[in-house]
Amino acid sequence: MKFISEYKDLVARIRYRHGLEKQSCRVDLKQLEDFLNRKHMYEKTFRQFAPSGKLHKVDLLEYFNRCDLWPTQREINNSFDTIFRGSRNTAEVVFLLDCSTSTGIVGFHNLIKFVQDLVRTLDIAPDKTRVGVVPFNEDIFSSFSLSKYDNKKELLEAISRVKLWHGLTRTDLALRVMRGMFKDSRPGVQKIGLVLTDGQSTYNDKTIKEAQLSHEMGIQMFAIGMGSKVDLSELQHIATNPDSLFHIHDAGSLGVIRRQIEKRLCLDIPQYTPIKASSTSHICRPIDQSEALEVIWTCYPPLVCGITRSSRWIRPIVKGKEAWSLLDDDIIRATGMKACLRLVIQSRLQRHGYITVPSDVRDDVEQVTSETEALQIIEKFIEDQMKSK
């Protein structure tokens, strides 16, 4: 069953992010029901909060709060970085391969071997390094996106199927396709493009324009020219900086620079700042509903994960200030549970017009707009929980 498989995959991802070993996921009906109820509420809240279907990272705290979750900003940042940035071994990498016949059969074989050898050094996985390939001549053919292959074996086999074709050198077209691939990249993950060519592009001005647009997207560009027919000026426009430009005698010399490229791609080494990047290149793209839920599940794991949160902050706001800051020590000592509950309920109603409470009809949640009704439901829920212990 597809849903159960996706559920188990999610649990495995969450446990991995929390440093726990992979283990078989036994499906418990009560835990599954709790997961589905939470998932339904989070998705419904997302649609209400982000009707466009996209959410910016800076809005995640507000989204969490509307889901009645109250993490610290640091917890959200840590979860976000764990998913989308990994432990500095995460990247989106696209190879742009000049497959025109001028490369020659032997040279083309060396080019493919070079790419495969580089890929073997990368940690290929959906939440680590993803690779796309754009073979080109006068057109784009046999390309595949970053999300096409999620394991190294299938990726290497796909690269081996790339063929040599007769035609012109439309480097500009390849750069445009690459930028399209990066529009679906994970937020905050470094983007790397490698252009391998043995000649000058057919439309130099278009290539330079596409290269500039690539820099403005924050893509770190490497340019590798093979042979005497390459246009060094054009490669300089493509490369992010001089350290990212390589010029070799022919494709047979690719092995000579492989170690240098590997060092540049070593994702455990902090990347230097692209000197041509736009001032807006650090801005993360908005995330969609499934990505927002990944952040929630990482911060608030499903019960089956067996992970206990160490922090469960409740931070209601009253007239622009956190409620706890309005109370002095005497008030805190004199205030009972009911008064505290009423304060929380009032702040939620003031901010959102409703509060999410346990349902008194079935094992679920509901949204109520009455302070008295919400207080009665919560008090009954607490009483029932105490009796069941």
Side-chain angles (χ1 to χ4, degrees), residues 143-321:
S143 65
F144 53 84
S145 66
L146 294 163
S147 59
K148 179 66 174 179
Y149 300 104
D150 60 5
N151 66 80
K152 191 173 296 186
K153 181 176 181 294
E154 292 182 356
L155 176 59
L156 290 171
E157 290 175 351
I159 294 172
S160 69
R161 292 193 293 270
V162 176
K163 303 299 181 183
L164 194 65
W165 291 89
H166 175 73
L168 304 175
T169 306
R170 291 294 304 275
T171 312
D172 62 302
L173 189 57
L175 288 168
R176 189 190 314 163
V177 171
M178 176 199 70
R179 289 194 296 107
M181 288 185 177
F182 281 130
K183 287 181 180 179
D184 293 324
S185 64
R186 293 163 292 174
V189 176
Q190 59 179 317
K191 300 181 284 289
I192 300 172
L194 296 95
V195 177
L196 293 94
T197 181
D198 71 334
Q200 181 180 349
S201 66
T202 304
Y203 300 107
N204 177 264
D205 54 340
K206 291 183 179 180
T207 297
I208 292 175
K209 180 180 179 181
E210 290 294 336
Q212 181 60 37
L213 292 173
S214 299
H215 296 312
E216 291 175 1
M217 280 187 69
I219 303 170
Q220 180 161 337
M221 294 298 304
F222 290 82
I224 303 174
M226 304 171 289
S228 59
K229 296 182 180 180
V230 297
D231 184 336
L232 284 178
S233 174
E234 182 177 84
L235 294 182
Q236 288 169 355
H237 280 90
I238 293 174
T240 294
N241 55 39
D243 290 334
S244 301
L245 171 60
F246 298 85
H247 183 210
I248 56 179
H249 182 263
D250 55 28
S253 304
L254 283 168
V256 177
I257 65 169
R258 199 191 83 192
R259 300 300 297 177
Q260 298 179 57
I261 298 293
E262 287 177 6
K263 289 180 180 179
R264 301 285 196 280
L265 293 180
C266 182
L267 303 178
D268 284 327
I269 298 176
Q271 301 294 310
Y272 46 81
T273 303
I275 59 174
K276 295 182 181 178
S278 160
S279 61
T280 61
S281 65
H282 67 284
I283 298 176
C284 296
R285 66 166 173 81
I287 60 177
D288 59 27
Q289 177 178 281
S290 63
E291 292 170 327
L293 261 64
E294 281 284 329
V295 181
I296 282 186
W297 295 128
T298 303
C299 208
Y300 291 83
L303 294 175
V304 68
C305 293
I307 300 170
T308 302
R309 277 177 48 77
S310 59
S311 174
R312 292 180 179 275
W313 295 101
I314 297 179
R315 302 165 64 187
I317 305 297
V318 177
K319 295 183 178 179
K321 294 185 178 181

Side-chain angles (χ1 to χ4, degrees), residues 58-76:
V58 294
D59 296 321
L60 277 172
L61 181 59
E62 175 68 14
Y63 169 57
F64 269 69
N65 293 169
R66 293 199 180 196
C67 292
D68 261 343
L69 303 173
W70 302 87
T72 63
Q73 185 64 57
R74 175 178 292 183
E75 287 177 306
I76 292 179

Side-chain angles (χ1 to χ4, degrees), residues 73-134:
Q73 185 64 57
R74 175 178 292 183
E75 287 177 306
I76 292 179
N77 291 342
N78 288 343
S79 295
F80 185 93
D81 290 347
T82 298
I83 297 167
F84 300 117
R85 292 187 176 133
S87 55
R88 292 199 320 207
N89 63 347
T90 305
E92 312 282 34
V93 181
V94 177
F95 292 92
L96 291 72
L97 310 179
D98 181 355
C99 296
S100 58
T101 49
S102 58
T103 305
I105 296 176
V106 175
F108 182 73
H109 171 77
N110 290 329
L111 184 149
I112 294 298
K113 183 178 183 300
F114 171 78
V115 174
Q116 289 178 317
D117 288 343
L118 278 181
V119 167
R120 289 189 180 97
T121 68
L122 304 176
D123 193 356
I124 304 299
D127 57 350
K128 292 193 175 180
T129 300
R130 303 194 303 174
V131 171
V133 173
V134 183

Side-chain angles (χ1 to χ4, degrees), residues 2-17:
K2 183 178 180 181
F3 167 73
I4 296 298
S5 176
E6 292 175 348
Y7 174 66
K8 290 182 176 181
D9 287 345
L10 171 66
V11 171
R13 289 198 303 274
I14 301 304
R15 287 182 57 83
Y16 174 82
R17 290 168 189 160

